Amino acid sequence: MSEPKAEPGKLVPSELLVDVSRLVTAYYSEEPDPSVPGERVAFGTSGHRGSALRRSFNEAHIAAISQAICDYRKSKGITGPLFLGRDPHALSYPAFVTALEVLTANDVAVMVDRDDGYTPTPVISHAILRFNRGRKERLADGIVITPSHNPPEDGGFKYNEPHGGPADTSATRWIEQRANELLGSRLRDVRRLPWERARNANCLHRFDYVGGYVRTLHEVVDLAVVSRSGLKIGVDPLGGAAVAYWPRIAEEYRLDLEVVNQTIDPTFRFMPADWDGRIRMDCSSPFAMRALVDLRQRFDVAFGNDTDADRHGIVTRASGLLNPNHYLTVAVWYLLERREQWPREGQVGKTVVTTQLLDRVVAARRRKLFEVPVGFKWFVNGLVAGELVFAGEESAGASLLCRDGSVWTTDKDGIALGLLAAEIHAVLGADPGQVYAKITSQFGDPAYERIDAPASREQKAALARLSAADVRISDLAGVPVTAVLDKAPGNGAPIGGIKVVATEAWFAARPSGTEDVYKLYAESFRGREHLRQVQAVAREFLSRVLAA
């Protein structure tokens, strides 16, 4: 018998909500078996994620990862403070406690929120970069405890290096290996203080995350022009870490901004079910964003964030929820015209599964494109060096340089990207949906869709192993194939899947790094019917791969 599921777009019945007491009990009581692959520490595209109910995110995991990070810091000579933040997921606070017990036992100077509040991912990146500015010694790094938009029963643990962004593959591989060694030894070499001593340790410091971030937002977005415009702005934090930030932003910059929902509830009972009946705080999902979309006529422009506020969802009166690709295209089109202090040779970063309309816009602006696999870590060095002026992913995550061309964040910033939508509207007198229509009239109007489908661990592994030589497709619904990629053109790194490119269409497939699904992306400049034909070609190919 299949387990009951909620109807997409509807509130989830109370009997299907996560049992928070059971979940937290499992965090402390369930012991992972490191000989079982699904119970080991595993860093995906954005840290380690799992659930205590599946023995993939338990106290032992967090103790081991925290000690591994301490060992990694020591091996790299990282001696500055560690900026620590968390989101409202039910497992985030237990993991926060465990991490502090280990970090303080290792005499790491830990910076936590001054008011014991939640801290968005971009705020941690911002704090690291501001602390490290002009320094060559005693550099800071950070940890964000969040599974991003994942369901309420999940937990996540991300490490950001001194460059402020997600740790690169060599760092996560080192930390993952060390953490699993510690798990295998039953945490024998993990140093840890009791909570009462950890919370009062001399190396634990209170930090004004909210003020430090909010007071500098004008450096990346022209909030003065937004204030003067009098735009009515709506915001839905989706019960996430940005809840306390939006009122402060409105006050600081005198914005006519309404937070439509300030509820914090670890069951996320106020969230409509996503496409598969599960709750996700995915601000790019029309199901998850239904409440704000229904209110869109009240606002000139509105936006939402996921739980750690590293993603954005833009809503306008006429267009409703913009496809993330549409807004990324609008943002790049606008910024390359308006940010006169940005370096002229700066490139635009995108992932291999982001719309090719962006390629056309960037070429028209006489800029170069930097195309990489999925994962924001690939953009970090370019943002730090100013070689990338903007970097975005189709999953509604992006960051950009400050208005003067200096680095802002090296992790995705859903807060800044939401406010940028208001700046665009204020400057151009048109909302992002209207601007997108203007862009497509010049460059073409592609049909794009991403489909998530269930996949076992074995099927995901088979998909990740695909190479260009495994693909024998000569055309995509009548359009000749020009390239089959298993490596990204920008940096030559493996895609972790496959991309088949034709002159006016393409598809790509890759396994999710955080959930038991695979993702099929497809786009056609010949319209939606041709997109369906391209998807049919892709599905036929993938059915053979997954069956094998």
Side-chain angles (χ1 to χ4, degrees):
M1 180 182 295
S2 60
E3 56 182 82
K5 291 184 177 180
E7 183 180 348
K10 303 287 187 179
L11 293 179
V12 175
S14 57
E15 64 270 18
L16 297 183
L17 295 171
V18 65
D19 183 335
V20 173
S21 60
R22 177 170 171 256
L23 179 66
V24 173
T25 299
Y27 174 82
Y28 290 107
S29 63
E30 294 288 342
E31 289 285 339
D33 180 352
S35 68
V36 177
E39 298 180 22
R40 292 169 62 82
V41 172
F43 277 75
T45 53
S46 193
H48 173 80
R49 292 186 190 175
S51 176
L53 301 175
R54 300 190 297 271
R55 288 197 294 273
S56 53
F57 194 93
N58 302 83
E59 184 180 31
H61 294 107
I62 305 310
I65 297 170
S66 299
Q67 183 62 56
I69 289 173
C70 291
D71 295 346
Y72 178 80
R73 296 178 99 243
K74 187 175 181 179
S75 74
K76 297 297 182 181
I78 301 170
T79 58
L82 184 144
F83 290 91
L84 179 64
R86 62 184 173 94
D87 79 358
H89 273 81
L91 289 175
S92 292
Y93 187 71
F96 176 84
V97 170
T98 302
L100 270 182
E101 290 175 343
V102 175
L103 294 168
T104 53
N106 284 270
D107 294 320
V108 174
V110 185
M111 315 297 279
V112 298
D113 184 72
R114 183 182 66 182
D115 302 314
D116 291 322
Y118 306 108
T119 308
T121 286
V123 176
I124 293 294
S125 178
H126 177 271
I128 294 169
L129 289 166
R130 293 292 162 129
F131 181 89
N132 289 342
R133 181 182 286 177
R135 293 176 181 267
K136 294 185 178 179
E137 298 179 346
R138 200 173 169 266
L139 298 178
D141 54 1
I143 292 172
V144 193
I145 303 174
T146 175
S148 190
H149 64 283
N150 276 28
E153 65 269 21
D154 283 8
F157 205 86
K158 303 193 297 186
Y159 175 61
N160 283 30
E161 295 188 83
H163 52 46
D168 66 22
T169 305
S170 63
T172 55
R173 188 183 299 116
W174 196 104
I175 293 167
E176 178 184 303
Q177 181 177 342
R178 176 58 177 152
N180 283 317
E181 289 173 358
L182 293 165
L183 271 185
S185 69
R186 301 184 64 85
L187 309 182
R188 184 179 60 242
D189 295 325
V190 172
R191 302 179 65 186
R192 191 168 176 181
L193 291 178
W195 174 235
E196 191 59 35
R197 288 179 59 193
R199 66 190 297 191
N200 293 299
N202 291 332
C203 59
L204 181 62
H205 307 283
R206 301 284 175 176
F207 184 77
D208 183 13
Y209 281 117
V210 180
Y213 178 83
V214 169
R215 285 192 296 269
T216 56
L217 263 171
H218 67 279
E219 296 178 16
V220 70
V221 179
D222 188 349
L223 294 172
V225 74
V226 178
S227 178
R228 291 193 301 270
S229 72
L231 288 174
K232 178 69 176 175
I233 301 168
V235 177
D236 189 346
L238 301 184
V243 164
Y245 285 72
W246 287 112
R248 286 285 298 275
I249 291 168
E251 178 184 12
E252 179 80 16
Y253 297 103
R254 299 182 180 180
L255 305 181
D256 186 2
L257 184 152
E258 177 187 348
V259 181
V260 301
N261 182 10
Q262 299 192 49
T263 305
I264 294 287
D265 180 344
T267 68
F268 293 91
R269 65 179 67 242
F270 52 84
M271 288 294 303
D274 204 2
W275 61 274
D276 59 353
R278 302 182 71 192
I279 293 176
R280 288 185 188 84
M281 287 57 69
D282 182 356
C283 51
S284 66
S285 165
F287 300 109
M289 289 284 282
R290 181 172 178 176
L292 187 59
V293 171
D294 287 347
L295 296 173
R296 66 188 184 277
Q297 297 303 330
R298 285 168 44 181
F299 307 108
D300 295 304
V301 66
F303 30 86
N305 297 125
D306 66 339
T307 328
D308 66 323
D310 69 343
R311 302 187 190 203
H312 57 271
I314 310 301
V315 175
T316 69
R317 285 175 177 160
S319 304
L321 178 65
L322 267 67
N323 181 293
N325 279 300
H326 296 187
Y327 180 58
L328 289 179
T329 303
V330 169
V332 170
W333 180 88
Y334 171 83
L335 291 164
L336 293 184
E337 176 71 20
R338 297 283 173 165
R339 293 296 193 259
E340 296 179 355
Q341 294 187 62
W342 277 6
R344 298 303 305 169
E345 299 302 315
Q347 299 182 18
V348 172
K350 75 162 216 176
T351 59
V352 293
V353 296
T354 304
T355 177
Q356 285 192 341
L357 182 59
L358 200 58
D359 304 40
R360 298 183 180 190
V361 168
V362 171
R365 297 293 198 212
R366 297 183 178 180
R367 297 270 187 163
K368 291 183 178 179
L369 203 67
F370 181 65
E371 190 172 356
V372 299
V374 172
F376 210 77
K377 63 187 177 184
W378 303 111
F379 300 128
V380 171
N381 291 334
L383 287 168
V384 170
E387 296 168 357
L388 293 178
V389 296
F390 182 96
E393 299 184 305
E394 65 76 36
S395 54
S399 191
L400 66 164
L401 296 186
C402 288
R403 293 156 65 193
D404 67 359
S406 61
V407 64
W408 170 247
T409 63
T410 47
D411 216 328
K412 296 170 287 190
D413 191 340
I415 297 173
L417 267 292
L419 291 168
L420 178 64
E423 179 192 326
I424 292 170
H425 196 336
V427 171
L428 301 180
D431 68 44
Q434 294 166 326
V435 176
Y436 183 74
K438 177 181 178 179
I439 293 170
T440 56
S441 68
Q442 179 181 356
F443 295 102
D445 189 4
Y448 178 103
E449 188 173 28
R450 186 189 88 189
I451 299 171
D452 293 3
S456 67
R457 183 179 294 271
E458 293 75 21
Q459 288 174 322
K460 287 169 60 178
L463 185 53
R465 287 194 300 267
L466 276 179
S467 71
D470 298 321
V471 181
R472 292 175 175 83
I473 300 175
S474 59
D475 71 278
L476 293 182
V479 184
V481 168
T482 57
V484 178
L485 306 175
D486 54 21
K487 293 182 175 61
N491 61 359
I495 293 172
I498 205 76
K499 181 176 182 180
V500 180
V501 184
T503 50
E504 293 186 293
W506 61 271
F507 81 81
R510 53 174 288 273
S512 169
T514 58
E515 296 186 84
D516 289 330
V517 299
Y518 77 85
K519 300 174 186 290
L520 170 61
Y521 312 79
E523 184 174 48
S524 172
F525 280 83
R526 293 191 173 187
R528 191 150 295 278
E529 178 55 34
H530 188 255
L531 172 66
R532 297 288 176 245
Q533 296 171 17
V534 171
Q535 289 171 325
V537 173
R539 282 192 168 113
E540 181 182 357
F541 168 72
L542 291 171
S543 66
R544 295 195 299 270
V545 172
L546 298 178

